[in-house]
Amino acid sequence: MWKHKTFTFINITGMAVAFGAALLLTLTAFFELSFDTFHQNKNDVYQLYIEQHHANSVDEGSTMPIPMTPALKAEFPDVVHITRYGDFGGSALRYGDKIFNDDVRCVDADFFKMFTFPIVNGSTINPLADKNDIVLSATVAKNIFGNQNPIGKLIELKVDNGWKSMNVTAVAADAPKNSSFDFGLLCRFEQFPGYDQNINEWNSQSHNVFLQLPTGEKQAVFEQKLKTFVQKHYDASIKQLIHDGAKPDNNGQVLSLHLIPLTDIHFSAISSQSRAISKFYPYLVLLISLFIMFIACTNFINLSLGRAFTRAKEIGVRKVIGATKTQLIVQFCSESFVICGISLILGVIAACIFLPQYKLAFNQQVSLNILASPAIISYILGGFVLISLLAGGYPAWLMSVGKTAQTVKGKVGAGQSSSLRNSLMVVQFALSSLLIICTAITWQQLNYMRTKPLGYNKSEVVSIPIGSNIDPEKALTQMRSKLSSYPQVVSVTGTDMNLGKGLDNSSSTSIMSFNYKGRTVSTNWLRVDYDYVKTLGLQVVNGRDLSRSFGADSTMVLINQKMAEELGEKNPIGDLLPTDGAKLQVAGIVKDFNFKSLHHEIAPLTMVIRTGWPINYILVRVKSGNLASSMALINKVWKDTNPHTEVGASFLDENTERQYNKETDLSKIFVTGAIISIVISCMGLFAIVILIITQRTKEIGIRKVLGASVNNILFLISKDFLKLVLISICIASPIAWYAMDKWLQGFEYRIQIQWWVFVITGTIALIIAFVTISFQSIKAAVLNPVKSLRSE
């Protein structure tokens, strides 16, 4: 190792970088796959969701009506536990003269029996026995009470613009980062907004339902039992769906209830509890880590093979004086274990040092605590042993089976070694090319999403989350009044749903169905206020905007073009929509706009001004120019209006980009993986070229004496390697096209993969390989041939 410092440095550096990068990526993959696995009852807990078949589509949703849970309890006594889980939202809390804001969730008493959130203080048996009981997370308890014991204390929760006293019965440990449930406070579901009004309403869906089946009961068996339950409670809905031409599923049902296993919720696009991360994502990250390790191992094995044949005489002498095949294999494996051991230690140190930067750059929440996982330890140690044995054992075995007489003379055929080396190099560069192509296509899709017109003007619009510690209507009125005197403010409006993902990290949708002329019509509903169209720059294509000039606009709605198609009317202006007891009249039609992310197709949308429906966000359009100054002004005015606010304002264009954080992170991982792979591949290629040139030193000298130019020698050495790189590109291209085409299917609006991406990628790979080879080849070509011929 000390004698051949260049090869040792390349081996250790390449392996250390690979170990460090693979470790960080593995932490990410295992963190995503570990979601909700810490619950003791994880194998028996499921989330309920409903599936409805229409004439041309299938709707799947996890929000349930309030009477669902009591009915399930009564009709399925064998269900071990069941709980509702509703988002009370960010709510104001009062203790003494201090006001706090935090996330309140509403659950049933069975919650702590089903899920493993340890009680660290207070009642452990039934902490939510009474409907006025409340459980705090450890962080919230610390924020409110400091070092005081909170058990038995009364805090006030803001409910429907009034304050309600709640009794603190317990403090639960903070939910882990790999939990689909996050909460600051937990109260009984009876406190959920609208509980009393909707206690018997089966058409109002507002929360999630989780149930625990008896141990050993199969998911499919219980879903079959639910058929009778559905027919009993959804009879009218089923008849309406059939009347509207719904196409039944394979079991002949148009409406059915199904279950999502708890450990699959994190990856479910159906569950509103989930982050809807594709399970493909962690496995892809794990695959990239394996790619990087394979590329580094390929270098190690190739260099080990190359060095083994330059040590032919040494091995021959050892065999002559009695060395056995086992001793030779042990010697080579020992050397590779030393190199791999040093590399692993350096890689782990590098991973620990760069973990904070990695978390920041890739928006990850991983910690080194996951290294204590037996799965991670087995994965790392297994990889370490396998790499060491492959890199040391195979070259040793290859040399030990050679004839001793030839080995002593240094005449060992390297044909088998060359074939293996070339095959490994092809795979190595194929993986690197694959990552480069994936990087290019991911970047194109992200750029497309950032630049695609969304149908509204997202620039110069500020979004302000209102929160629950101020009356929303009052807040909007005050902001309108205060901001109207500033010339840089164009317009102010309000809405119940943000566009994109704001700093409050909230995103939601509201869908309603109603009977329109004998058939069911479904639409997304949006609570808006005056000047919504003006603030977002929407285009009214028919009819008029909602305006204060018309006194009855609280009963008027705006619809988008998709909703007009859903109604099936050529000109629906003036038509009445019979919704929840009220008839709303269509005032105008706006041009379709992407009110959801580009993962989703534009859906029917109805916008309404209803004072009974809350406003959650204030939107402010400002003039272009000094946006930083405008933002500072808005924050100041908002702080004066709502002194207890904690979440700040943000620009809509930032919010829309925040929707694609996972895709952005994936792109960064691709880029980093591609760079690391190319660097390690080039290090290996550089070392192999040195090895080949060393073995062909006399040949190069003779060719120069016979008149070969530098270009001739450069071409001679380069052609075989560049041929391998070209083959690797041909292998990688169809694989990359297939994988990225599948990934792009997750977007309703996506790019078309272009042929030139593969040409540019191939050209880049060839140029990088040629530059790597040229550096050492030119050095050998310009060497004095007399010196080359004298070398041994």
Side-chain angles (χ1 to χ4, degrees), residues 256-278:
S256 53
L257 288 172
H258 299 277
L259 303 176
I260 307 170
L262 176 62
T263 51
D264 287 344
I265 288 173
H266 179 61
F267 308 103
S268 173
I270 300 171
S271 172
S272 59
Q273 194 70 34
S274 77
R275 299 189 187 182
I277 294 171
S278 170

Side-chain angles (χ1 to χ4, degrees), residues 447-458 591-594 598 602 749:
N447 187 58
Y448 171 78
M449 292 189 293
R450 292 190 185 106
T451 57
K452 183 186 182 299
L454 300 177
Y456 65 91
N457 189 352
K458 62 184 178 180
K591 188 176 181 180
D592 285 338
F593 66 100
N594 292 93
L598 295 178
I602 295 175
Y749 303 92

Side-chain angles (χ1 to χ4, degrees), residues 42 68 156 173 252 336 448 513 654:
K42 61 180 180 291
M68 171 76 78
E156 293 177 292
S336 66
Y448 171 78
S513 300
E654 296 171 351

Side-chain angles (χ1 to χ4, degrees), residues 494-780:
T495 180
D496 63 337
M497 294 179 195
N498 207 356
L499 289 167
K501 200 170 186 180
L503 295 180
D504 61 344
N505 226 17
S506 174
S507 91
S508 60
T509 56
S510 177
I511 298 176
M512 281 193 176
S513 300
F514 57 90
N515 190 288
Y516 178 78
K517 296 184 178 180
R519 60 189 181 85
T520 301
V521 171
S522 294
T523 177
N524 287 263
W525 282 77
L526 191 63
R527 159 69 162 103
V528 299
D529 208 86
Y530 295 113
D531 297 325
Y532 188 81
V533 169
K534 178 182 178 182
T535 303
L536 289 180
L538 301 179
Q539 183 181 346
V540 179
V541 295
N542 197 3
R544 64 171 178 85
D545 187 11
L546 302 175
S547 171
R548 296 178 185 84
S549 304
F550 299 85
D553 266 6
S554 60
T555 61
M556 307 295 285
V557 297
L558 288 175
I559 62 174
N560 67 352
Q561 292 169 312
K562 281 282 185 182
M563 181 58 182
E565 291 176 17
E566 183 79 4
L567 294 174
E569 303 286 346
K570 288 183 178 180
N571 185 13
I573 303 299
D575 281 8
L576 296 176
L577 309 182
T579 63
D580 63 6
K583 290 188 176 181
L584 302 176
Q585 191 173 27
V586 178
I589 302 171
V590 300
K591 188 176 181 180
D592 285 338
F593 66 100
N594 292 93
F595 58 93
K596 293 183 182 180
S597 76
L598 295 178
H599 292 92
H600 307 283
E601 189 178 5
I602 295 175
L605 177 68
T606 302
M607 293 170 279
V608 60
I609 296 178
R610 293 286 293 275
T611 53
W613 293 8
I615 289 173
N616 298 321
Y617 298 91
I618 296 171
L619 302 179
V620 183
R621 171 164 291 284
V622 297
K623 292 180 180 178
S624 58
N626 194 342
L627 295 181
S629 172
S630 298
M631 176 62 85
L633 167 68
I634 291 169
N635 276 324
K636 180 181 179 301
V637 174
W638 177 237
K639 194 70 178 176
D640 292 340
T641 305
N642 186 9
H644 300 293
T645 185
E646 292 184 356
V647 181
S650 58
F651 283 104
L652 272 194
D653 50 4
E654 296 171 351
N655 294 353
T656 53
E657 286 202 20
R658 218 173 271 123
Q659 295 176 115
Y660 311 113
N661 278 346
K662 273 297 166 189
E663 286 75 18
T664 304
D665 295 341
L666 182 62
S667 175
K668 290 177 182 176
I669 288 174
F670 273 140
V671 170
T672 309
I675 292 171
I676 291 173
S677 300
I678 285 291
V679 169
I680 296 175
S681 297
C682 289
M683 287 172 66
L685 182 59
F686 182 76
I688 291 294
V689 170
I690 293 175
L691 209 58
I692 296 297
I693 289 173
T694 303
Q695 292 172 349
R696 300 174 68 175
T697 301
K698 287 189 177 181
E699 176 196 341
I700 293 169
I702 292 169
R703 288 181 180 275
K704 286 198 70 178
V705 169
L706 295 175
S709 65
V710 173
N711 289 338
N712 293 145
I713 293 171
L714 180 61
F715 175 75
L716 176 74
I717 297 171
S718 304
K719 65 176 183 179
D720 291 335
F721 290 108
L722 294 180
K723 192 188 301 178
L724 296 177
V725 174
L726 195 59
I727 293 170
S728 70
I729 294 165
C730 294
I731 293 172
S733 294
I735 298 172
W737 180 87
Y738 177 80
M740 296 313 293
D741 184 64
K742 287 287 184 185
W743 177 70
L744 288 170
Q745 299 306 314
F747 300 88
E748 283 295 331
Y749 303 92
R750 53 185 178 267
I751 61 166
Q752 295 296 320
I753 300 176
Q754 303 294 327
W755 61 268
W756 53 262
V757 174
F758 304 99
V759 174
I760 291 176
T761 301
T763 304
I764 291 171
L766 285 170
I767 290 172
I768 292 172
F770 183 72
V771 170
T772 305
I773 296 164
S774 299
F775 181 78
Q776 197 64 30
S777 299
I778 293 172
K779 185 179 176 181

